[in-house]
Amino acid sequence: MPFKRDRKGNKKEKPPAHLKGKQIGLYYAQKSKQKKELQRNRPLGAILLSAAKKDQIQKVLNSTSLQNLFTVDGGSYDHVADSIFKRDFLRVINETIDEKLMKNPSIPVQDERLSERLYEEYMSKQDNVKYNKMNKKRKKLPSYNMKDEILKVVNESQIVVISGETGCGKTTQVAQFILDDFIEKKKGSECKILCTQPRRISAIAVAQRVAEERAENLGDSVGYHIRLERRSPRDRGSVCFCTTGIVLKMMENDPSLSTISHLILDEIHERDVMSDFILALIKKIITKRKDLKIILMSATLNSEKFSKYYNNAPHVNIPGFTFPVTEFYLEDVIFRTGYIFDHKKISREKIRTYSDFIEPHVRQLEATKQYNRHVCIQLRNPECENINLKLILELLIDICQKEKDKGAILIFLTGFQDISSLSKMISDSGYFPPYQYLVFPLHSLMPTVEQKQIFEEPPHGMRKIIIATNIAETSITIDDVVYVIDCGKIKVTNFDAATNSDILAPQWVSLANANQRRGRAGRVKPGICFHMYSKAREMLLEQFQLPEILRKRLEDVILTAKVLQLGDIEPFFRELIDSPDPETVTLALDLLKRLNALTDDEKLTPLGYHLAKLPMAPQMGKMILFGAIFSCLDPILSVAASLDFKDPFQLPVGKEKEVTRMKLELSRGIKSDHLLFHEALKGFEAHAYDYRNFCWKYFLSVHALKQLQDMKKQFMEYLHEMNFVPDSNPKSLECNRNSHNMSLIKAIICAGLYPNVAISKVLGRAPIWTPNMQKLQLHPKSVLAECKYFDSNILVYYRKIYSNSYFVHDASLIHALPVVFFGDKFHRFYEGDNNMISINQNLKFKCTESTALIIKELRDRFNWFLEYKISHPGPIIWGKNDETKVLEVIMELITCEEMVLDDNAFEDCD
DNA sequence: GAGCACTGC
């Protein structure tokens, strides 16, 4: 065979002599495609079971009679023993929400004595000094002037849209107007208001503020309810501020919100999935509950859209009040700083597109002589549209030297890298000595987000500079900001149905974002905002960011819809304000069917029913159910909570290397980010008295760990309520018989995360690939990224996001058997003389015929058992009867495999 | 030799 050598000197096959020019290229393309195909088809390894082991398994299989317990009967579930589970499950799959609403009418509460008492209490408060002092402040709010108009509209119609900008006071006042009106009319007992907020902190903060205005403590007429935390107000004559998710969960049991008189949905312009979802549910509810009042509150910009959605519901607009903020654009910044942009090589086409866009604007500037020639030349350079940290630094220096007001400066950037670089540039520049400037990088991963200092007034003679992501747009509010520098970009994850993956990319902000950023400069006095984009660019900005429902995977949303008994998904999605892409819907339905959460005709399975009830992504739900069955819950709860909420590690600027080192130390050589999360929580929970030192040492967020610990408890309560565990303590012995078995825990992680499997072609080497040979990279934050040698070629992961390339953010190295036992679509086949098995066609393993048969039987037996257990929830009783024998065999195989392969790995290393 | 928007049950 003819060879030639490639650039690296390796032998390379020559193309046939008759091929010329382009054909040679095509020949090589074909070759590489074939090579990829070959790799795709290559088995990942061999599965070996000794004859003695097989004998032992066969004995267990012969001695148990589990298959008699369960026969599938075409969806009627007659075989399922009568139980609470069966009753609830059948109701959810067979009844529609409309039928449920009919059965659940509201009972108006009229308690004259209570109303009288509430009235007396309210009247006596009118002389309260503190109350009156607060009232004076309230009366200055723009919304206060519109009290009568708001009450009139709310009285006259079932649905009202109230719009107003920040500072108008709608969030704190509207609920109080309604409540006080009821009380004054001696109808206080008939009023029970629920008011939603999109974020946890705002629910608490608003409740505290309102209680203060009423000169009361939380728990009287005002309370809050967020996940894992609540201060309920009195039952009647009250307002409860809660997160949107809480209301959605309430509706699972009581879709008509039968005890509520008023539902206020605040900040609906943010268009998060949950509030969009509730908006659609309201349409169904209002026809059955004519007495329920709905008040929708949004920013002014898109309030019309909501009014139209409800058949032109009446709309009240409240003028806002903030201090004026002067706006400047890139033109002004270039003028001020005299900055000169570099010239970078870009394609001719991009130059032309840019020039078509900017030329009319620059010509106009030239004609009006608003700016000098320099500005016009610079604007014509396409480079001026990229984020330029040097220019931002020069602007910052200019502000500090020339502007008289010494208020705080807030800079919006897109991500960790930029924030970190700009912080370094600021301290290296020499213009910002630490005794005059307090510089705070602000990012969800940075420890500064938990520092009080950011909110406080700086010491005399010092000035705050905050460099933040969009976290400072809504989540974190710093009052004394006077200058805002807005880079004009924002990072957003979009789900891409074509590649079935999330894409994280910077894009231009929407006008709504830009307004919000600008508004951050005018909270206490007049401010200045610098937008780092031209007036021409502003003309092209979208009004709003894409609503979340168009950017997300839809598995969770579909499960929620199912458990709310909304029937077929597509008709319901069509009723939403914006309907998601059908392709994304299909992908989500397919995955739910593969997880065995939905049947082929889109009905919830018993497993799906449990997954829908659990407050987490379905993969994590499956994981904790398996953790309960295999009695290794505590570690699995830690993993599930961390993956579903957030990993507790922080990343201080400039400490990247050290964080990596400490993570490796904590992971003790186990190649799994998931087990690292478990170690973090284990350490935190073990150091009851000096957890702060532990957290400090390993760069862990105390706040995040506490919340994760609470989530574990909550998950346990759900499992207990579902009757999968005997009590609700995550640490209880019955639930943790096997919690020391790391191989088992990794196998259960695999059971939850499957089909998110990645493989490396060469044992122990990066790069890694999807089974369909898409190239992946381990994210540098993963402990596996540092790993020089893998002792297996299979790993499972939860998050895969495309940014510069496809990054796997968290991973665990696992061996073959967990995939073989817990993966779907098991096949046995021959390749030549070799007996093979495959999972989902794309993960192949060699093995003998008898091994394949015995594994298949074990798998079938386990799946029977699983299906039985899921539809007959009850704690597993170990060692007493047949049911645990199959589990024990599987566990033993999984554990042995790891030990054998570890030895092989050592030999390979030598 | 790498790099990580933000919420929520």
Side-chain angles (χ1 to χ4, degrees):
Chain A
M1 200 176 276
F3 282 107
K4 67 177 196 181
R5 302 210 173 246
D6 69 6
R7 264 174 251 152
K8 286 178 185 163
N10 297 319
K11 274 183 193 169
K12 200 174 173 182
E13 211 175 305
K14 254 189 189 172
H18 64 275
L19 294 181
K20 297 228 165 65
K22 206 175 178 183
Q23 286 174 315
I24 297 177
L26 287 171
Y27 170 83
Y28 279 120
Q30 185 71 25
K31 275 273 159 205
S32 96
K33 207 176 160 192
Q34 282 168 2
K35 204 175 149 193
K36 243 185 175 175
E37 201 55 37
L38 210 69
Q39 291 288 3
R40 191 206 300 262
N41 283 319
R42 230 171 57 172
L44 288 167
I47 291 171
L48 304 168
L49 290 182
S50 68
K53 188 96 314 189
K54 276 184 271 197
D55 269 359
Q56 186 204 335
I57 300 169
Q58 198 58 57
K59 270 187 202 145
V60 171
L61 290 173
N62 294 342
S63 74
T64 57
S65 50
L66 267 172
Q67 66 269 47
N68 298 331
L69 288 173
F70 193 86
T71 44
V72 177
D73 60 359
S76 72
Y77 297 93
D78 286 343
H79 59 280
V80 175
D82 210 21
S83 63
I84 299 172
F85 160 75
K86 185 175 174 179
R87 209 185 53 220
D88 290 350
F89 171 64
L90 288 179
R91 185 173 46 72
V92 166
I93 61 169
N94 294 325
E95 190 187 61
T96 67
I97 188 168
D98 296 313
E99 289 160 1
K100 194 172 180 182
L101 286 168
M102 296 287 268
K103 277 199 261 172
N104 231 358
S106 68
I107 312 140
V109 182
Q110 278 170 326
D111 182 336
E112 278 172 32
R113 279 175 59 194
L114 176 61
S115 292
E116 190 67 38
R117 217 184 66 218
L118 294 175
Y119 177 77
E120 298 296 335
E121 181 199 284
Y122 178 73
M123 292 316 282
S124 71
K125 209 153 66 176
Q126 305 304 316
D127 305 325
N128 182 317
V129 179
K130 194 179 160 203
Y131 180 77
N132 283 318
K133 201 175 142 200
M134 294 306 290
N135 247 347
K136 262 188 201 156
K137 281 192 199 162
R138 287 178 67 191
K139 283 178 183 155
K140 284 184 194 151
L141 290 165
S143 59
Y144 208 91
N145 300 325
M146 305 197 51
K147 181 175 170 180
D148 294 337
E149 191 179 341
I150 292 168
L151 285 172
K152 185 164 174 274
V153 188
V154 171
N155 276 329
E156 285 168 0
S157 30
Q158 188 170 14
I159 301 189
V160 182
V161 180
I162 298 178
S163 59
E165 296 308 316
T166 21
C168 78
K170 62 182 189 303
T171 303
T172 51
Q173 302 309 309
V174 171
Q176 293 196 73
F177 295 162
I178 296 169
L179 176 61
D180 289 343
D181 185 49
F182 268 76
I183 296 176
E184 282 169 24
K185 289 177 178 154
K186 298 196 184 176
K187 291 199 297 184
S189 68
E190 292 165 46
C191 181
K192 185 176 169 105
I193 306 170
L194 210 52
C195 178
T196 70
Q197 292 294 315
R199 277 166 294 280
R200 292 165 58 87
I201 16 164
S202 42
I204 301 182
V206 173
Q208 276 168 342
R209 172 74 199 175
V210 172
E212 207 179 315
E213 286 184 4
R214 301 176 72 75
E216 289 175 14
N217 292 318
L218 278 173
D220 292 343
S221 72
V222 186
Y224 66 86
H225 187 180
I226 58 177
R227 183 186 191 176
L228 308 171
E229 211 179 314
R230 70 190 292 179
R231 291 283 302 273
S232 300
R234 64 189 179 211
D235 184 52
R236 315 296 312 178
S238 62
V239 191
C240 184
F241 292 92
C242 59
T243 33
T244 328
I246 292 281
V247 175
L248 212 47
K249 272 279 165 204
M250 285 178 184
M251 288 172 125
E252 279 179 20
N253 293 319
D254 177 13
S256 66
L257 294 171
S258 55
T259 63
I260 301 300
S261 64
H262 298 74
L263 177 63
I264 305 177
L265 297 172
D266 200 359
E267 317 274 14
I268 50 169
H269 59 273
E270 289 189 16
R271 300 297 313 276
D272 56 287
V273 172
M274 291 196 207
S275 55
D276 272 16
F277 208 110
I278 294 183
L279 289 177
L281 282 176
I282 285 173
K283 283 197 167 183
K284 288 184 179 289
I285 296 168
I286 49 169
T287 56
K288 304 286 189 305
R289 268 210 64 190
K290 305 268 188 212
D291 62 314
L292 177 67
K293 298 281 185 181
I294 309 284
I295 297 108
L296 308 174
M297 305 209 283
S298 99
T300 318
L301 267 169
N302 62 350
S303 54
E304 277 304 318
K305 184 163 183 165
F306 300 106
S307 166
K308 281 209 185 97
Y309 185 61
Y310 292 102
N311 206 5
N312 295 319
H315 173 195
V316 182
N317 183 55
I318 309 172
F321 178 79
T322 40
F323 294 93
V325 175
T326 316
E327 286 180 277
F328 292 105
Y329 291 83
L330 185 61
E331 294 84 321
D332 308 292
V333 176
I334 296 172
F335 182 76
R336 261 181 98 121
T337 57
Y339 194 82
I340 299 168
F341 290 99
D342 293 341
H343 281 276
K344 298 226 168 102
K345 264 198 177 166
I346 53 167
S347 71
R348 209 170 283 172
E349 185 163 327
K350 273 189 184 157
I351 295 178
R352 196 178 315 126
T353 322
Y354 179 71
S355 155
D356 287 349
F357 148 72
I358 203 75
E359 222 20 69
H361 177 60
V362 180
R363 294 242 171 88
Q364 202 192 344
L365 295 187
E366 282 170 337
T368 57
K369 300 220 162 81
Q370 254 179 293
Y371 297 94
N372 59 21
R373 230 180 67 122
H374 173 76
V375 171
C376 297
I377 292 169
Q378 294 307 312
L379 280 182
R380 285 194 171 102
N381 182 350
E383 184 58 26
C384 77
E385 290 224 297
N386 295 331
I387 293 180
N388 192 314
L389 298 182
K390 271 198 237 161
L391 173 58
I392 292 176
L393 181 66
E394 288 200 14
L395 174 61
L396 195 59
I397 294 169
D398 194 68
I399 293 170
C400 292
Q401 286 175 345
K402 296 191 188 134
E403 297 290 337
K404 277 192 198 112
D405 193 307
K406 298 296 171 199
I409 304 169
L410 172 61
I411 305 165
F412 283 100
L413 293 178
T414 57
F416 191 92
Q417 201 86 74
D418 280 347
I419 292 175
S420 168
S421 309
L422 186 64
S423 304
K424 281 177 199 138
M425 286 162 67
I426 287 175
S427 58
D428 293 348
S429 71
Y431 285 94
F432 304 92
Y435 56 86
Q436 272 178 17
Y437 292 93
L438 288 166
V439 180
F440 297 102
L442 195 62
H443 183 286
S444 66
L445 289 178
M446 294 173 184
T448 42
V449 293
E450 284 167 36
Q451 278 175 23
K452 281 202 181 121
Q453 227 189 340
I454 297 193
F455 304 100
E456 289 163 0
E457 204 178 303
H460 184 72
M462 291 189 83
R463 184 171 200 170
K464 290 196 285 188
I465 298 174
I466 299 126
I467 315 166
T469 58
N470 40 324
I471 199 168
E473 252 180 54
T474 48
S475 303
I476 290 179
T477 301
I478 299 149
D479 272 324
D480 55 348
V481 170
V482 174
Y483 304 92
V484 162
I485 301 176
D486 164 21
C487 75
K489 303 270 172 82
I490 188 166
K491 270 189 184 171
V492 181
T493 33
N494 281 296
F495 179 69
D496 179 41
T499 56
N500 192 8
S501 57
D502 287 327
I503 300 174
L504 174 67
Q507 55 185 50
W508 289 108
V509 291
S510 66
L511 284 173
N513 293 126
N515 278 343
Q516 185 66 24
R517 291 178 176 189
R518 181 194 61 197
R520 292 302 186 174
R523 295 188 60 87
V524 290
K525 54 178 147 175
I528 297 179
C529 177
F530 298 91
H531 300 291
M532 305 303 281
Y533 48 82
S534 61
K535 268 286 205 188
R537 177 55 63 186
E538 187 185 45
M539 305 278 281
L540 290 186
L541 297 182
E542 298 288 337
Q543 289 268 312
F544 290 93
Q545 249 182 283
L546 215 53
E548 195 191 5
I549 196 129
L550 304 183
R551 296 191 282 111
K552 254 187 64 143
R553 310 189 72 106
L554 297 169
E555 288 85 22
D556 298 25
V557 188
I558 292 175
L559 281 182
T560 310
K562 288 293 174 189
V563 85
L564 282 161
Q565 301 164 248
L566 293 168
D568 287 342
I569 282 303
E570 272 162 4
F572 172 69
F573 278 167
R574 274 200 299 276
E575 284 172 47
L576 290 166
I577 297 201
D578 285 291
S579 309
D581 169 24
E583 239 181 281
T584 311
V585 180
T586 311
L587 280 171
L589 287 172
D590 289 347
L591 180 61
L592 288 170
K593 286 170 192 170
R594 270 186 85 179
L595 287 173
N596 190 27
L598 289 183
T599 60
D600 285 337
D601 59 345
E602 262 188 42
K603 284 209 156 151
L604 279 179
T605 63
L607 176 63
Y609 169 79
H610 295 304
L611 297 182
K613 287 265 172 182
L614 288 166
M616 62 193 87
Q619 294 91 325
M620 266 47 92
K622 198 168 175 184
M623 200 186 287
I624 69 167
L625 287 172
F626 272 61
I629 288 170
F630 281 95
S631 191
C632 53
L633 262 177
D634 186 57
I636 289 299
L637 291 171
S638 297
V639 176
S642 308
L643 287 177
D644 203 62
F645 175 47
K646 65 169 157 194
D647 97 48
F649 287 93
Q650 294 183 321
L651 195 49
V653 170
K655 300 256 169 124
E656 292 87 338
K657 287 258 145 53
E658 221 176 315
V659 173
T660 308
R661 199 164 54 78
M662 295 317 285
K663 278 186 177 175
L664 281 173
E665 183 186 305
L666 192 61
S667 71
R668 296 179 306 154
I670 299 173
K671 294 179 178 63
S672 161
D673 294 300
H674 309 121
L675 286 178
L676 174 64
F677 302 153
H678 162 53
E679 284 299 330
L681 268 148
K682 200 171 84 181
F684 173 73
E685 287 165 346
H687 293 73
Y689 299 103
D690 61 342
Y691 65 85
R692 282 187 190 279
N693 280 328
F694 173 79
C695 291
W696 174 256
K697 182 173 172 196
Y698 290 106
F699 299 99
L700 288 160
S701 153
V702 173
H703 185 74
L705 284 168
K706 278 191 175 152
Q707 202 161 339
L708 289 171
Q709 199 181 11
D710 289 344
M711 282 174 74
K712 286 171 66 179
K713 182 93 175 68
Q714 190 196 26
F715 292 176
M716 241 356 234
E717 278 158 12
Y718 270 89
L719 288 174
H720 182 49
E721 208 171 297
M722 293 168 163
N723 198 26
F724 282 107
V725 290
D727 65 85
S728 63
N729 174 12
K731 305 272 179 205
S732 88
L733 286 175
E734 287 101 317
C735 301
N736 290 291
R737 294 172 154 263
N738 304 314
S739 291
H740 56 278
N741 185 341
M742 292 301 142
S743 316
L744 174 68
I745 291 163
K746 281 195 278 183
I748 307 258
I749 293 168
C750 164
L753 299 184
Y754 183 87
N756 288 357
V757 177
I759 55 178
S760 65
K761 292 189 295 184
V762 184
L763 182 69
R765 295 278 166 75
I768 53 170
W769 309 77
T770 65
N772 293 325
M773 302 309 285
Q774 179 188 56
K775 197 174 175 180
L776 302 174
Q777 234 174 307
L778 281 161
H779 194 280
K781 79 176 176 183
S782 164
V783 284
L784 273 76
E786 287 289 308
C787 178
K788 295 280 186 291
Y789 192 86
F790 299 155
D791 43 13
S792 166
N793 51 359
I794 309 171
L795 43 88
V796 286
Y797 61 88
Y798 180 55
R799 238 176 268 275
K800 178 186 83 179
I801 303 173
Y802 182 85
S803 52
N804 295 319
S805 65
Y806 285 96
F807 280 104
V808 166
H809 285 234
D810 55 276
S812 283
L813 206 57
I814 56 160
H815 291 294
L817 281 179
V819 180
V820 172
F821 281 124
F822 303 134
D824 63 346
K825 298 180 199 158
F826 180 94
H827 284 293
R828 195 169 69 80
F829 61 100
Y830 286 95
E831 211 166 76
D833 289 338
N834 287 326
N835 201 331
M836 310 276 282
I837 53 175
S838 76
I839 297 298
N840 189 35
Q841 321 274 358
N842 56 23
L843 301 165
K844 292 184 185 173
F845 305 93
K846 278 189 210 164
C847 75
T848 65
E849 185 177 11
S850 62
T851 302
L853 287 172
I854 212 158
I855 285 182
K856 177 161 175 18
E857 193 168 354
L858 208 47
R859 252 181 72 103
D860 289 346
R861 209 61 83 77
F862 172 72
N863 285 329
W864 261 331
F865 172 72
L866 187 68
E867 221 169 319
Y868 178 78
K869 206 72 213 168
I870 292 295
S871 51
H872 297 75
I876 302 268
I877 301 152
W878 287 81
K880 282 217 175 133
N881 54 24
D882 287 351
E883 69 172 18
T884 54
K885 282 187 184 162
V886 170
L887 300 186
E888 277 161 8
V889 170
I890 290 178
M891 252 169 59
E892 195 186 320
L893 290 177
I894 287 167
T895 316
C896 288
E897 179 192 37
E898 185 124 348
M899 278 150 47
V900 171
L901 279 181
D902 275 351
D903 287 340
N904 289 344
F906 267 104
E907 280 164 29
D908 284 357
C909 275
D910 303 332

